[in-house]
Amino acid sequence: MERWVGKVAVVTGASSGIGAATVQALARAGLITVGLARRAERIEALRTGLPTEVGHRIHAHPCDVTDERSILGAFEFLARQFGGVDVLINNAGVAKPTVTLLTPGNTAELRTVLDTNVLGLILCSREAHRSMKARSVAGHIVNVNSIAGHKYIDVPNLNVYIASKYAVTAITETLRNELRHDSSKVKITSISPGIVRTEMIPDVHQFNELPMLEPEDVVGAILYALGTPSHVQVHELIIKPMGENL
């Protein structure tokens, strides 16, 4: 991780769960870390309890990844304030378990999932790559995917969430080949965890008895991918809790 010390990392969906844990871990590793989320005040609170020099490396900026203007504004801020982006962690994700694909009037919920998990990820990757290419940076884009991006999981009301994560798997491979054809040294990695204990998991009996990963387990995978030598690219990393049968 030494080569990233002093570089700029951006984490989407940084106000809780995997995103919040990633912000703190990257700041501890010496990166200037900017969390993007609609609830930017929660990112500011991540400094609490950290050593002063670590807390000073954490910054927050409001961003709604379902809104292209918000994304463009965030990356313009990053260019003005920090000079650009070296690492992007596409972590923002959402599920809408209150509806199924066949629920009448479900359009807004389904569109939110697709705009967040798919289009938001693409647009953030596009803008981060533009910053990296303009500065000839051998950066790294990490997509926080899911085991649901590789197999159908028969869990009620996941609706379009599984399809959105299958899309992330395909998008990651598409971006990898676009970068390769461009002779880019920017790496791209998909991290696909099993069930992770975050605010997205409903507090119901069905889930409470399932084996789960903690956000810090996913952070460990992210740090591993970022820490590989320049000639090594982790394409896909699947991690599951012991005992999970999904």
Side-chain angles (χ1 to χ4, degrees):
M1 291 294 291
E2 289 82 5
R3 72 189 183 95
W4 296 117
V5 172
K7 303 298 185 180
V8 178
V10 176
V11 183
T12 68
S15 61
S16 65
I18 297 169
T22 301
V23 166
Q24 292 180 321
L26 292 177
R28 288 191 188 99
L31 287 84
I32 300 166
T33 308
V34 184
L36 303 182
R38 289 175 298 174
R39 302 173 293 183
E41 69 282 354
R42 293 184 64 169
I43 301 169
E44 301 280 0
L46 295 176
R47 300 190 189 102
T48 303
L50 294 175
T52 302
E53 67 275 12
V54 175
H56 283 167
R57 289 194 284 267
I58 294 177
H59 305 269
H61 190 77
C63 181
D64 179 354
V65 298
T66 68
D67 182 348
E68 183 176 11
R69 290 175 300 178
S70 183
I71 291 172
L72 294 177
F75 279 87
E76 288 169 2
F77 162 79
L78 290 163
R80 288 195 313 270
Q81 192 75 14
F82 303 103
V85 180
D86 302 298
V87 172
L88 170 66
I89 312 297
N90 277 314
N91 169 72
V94 67
K96 293 290 184 179
T98 57
V99 299
T100 69
L101 291 180
L102 302 178
T103 300
N106 62 3
T107 306
E109 288 89 347
L110 300 184
R111 183 169 285 127
T112 295
V113 173
L114 292 173
D115 284 349
T116 302
N117 299 4
V118 180
L119 191 56
L121 177 145
I122 294 172
L123 297 183
C124 287
S125 298
R126 181 192 72 192
E127 295 305 306
H129 172 255
R130 190 160 69 94
S131 172
M132 295 171 189
K133 185 173 182 178
R135 296 175 297 119
S136 299
V137 168
H140 202 142
I141 298 171
V142 177
N143 294 332
V144 178
N145 196 348
S146 169
I147 188 64
H150 303 273
K151 61 181 291 187
Y152 176 75
I153 298 174
D154 188 16
V155 175
N157 291 23
L158 279 182
N159 52 69
V160 79
Y161 178 83
I162 292 175
S164 76
K165 291 301 185 179
Y166 263 81
V168 170
T169 301
I171 289 162
T172 303
E173 289 306 308
T174 302
L175 288 172
R176 188 183 338 278
N177 281 285
E178 289 189 4
L179 291 166
R180 181 173 59 85
H181 290 312
D182 196 37
S183 299
S184 172
K185 295 192 180 299
V186 174
K187 297 183 186 182
I188 185 162
T189 299
S190 167
I191 306 288
S192 297
I195 299 178
V196 184
R197 198 183 313 278
T198 69
E199 293 180 1
M200 287 181 61
I201 301 300
D203 186 20
V204 296
H205 178 74
Q206 174 190 5
F207 286 95
N208 289 340
E209 294 193 349
L210 291 175
M212 291 192 192
L213 297 169
E214 299 298 333
E216 291 74 16
D217 300 322
V218 183
V219 172
I222 293 171
L223 293 178
Y224 166 71
L226 289 175
T228 53
S230 60
H231 68 285
V232 175
Q233 178 171 226
V234 177
H235 283 214
E236 174 68 50
L237 187 54
I238 294 176
I239 58 173
K240 289 183 171 187
M242 288 291 293
E244 180 184 294
N245 64 355
L246 297 178

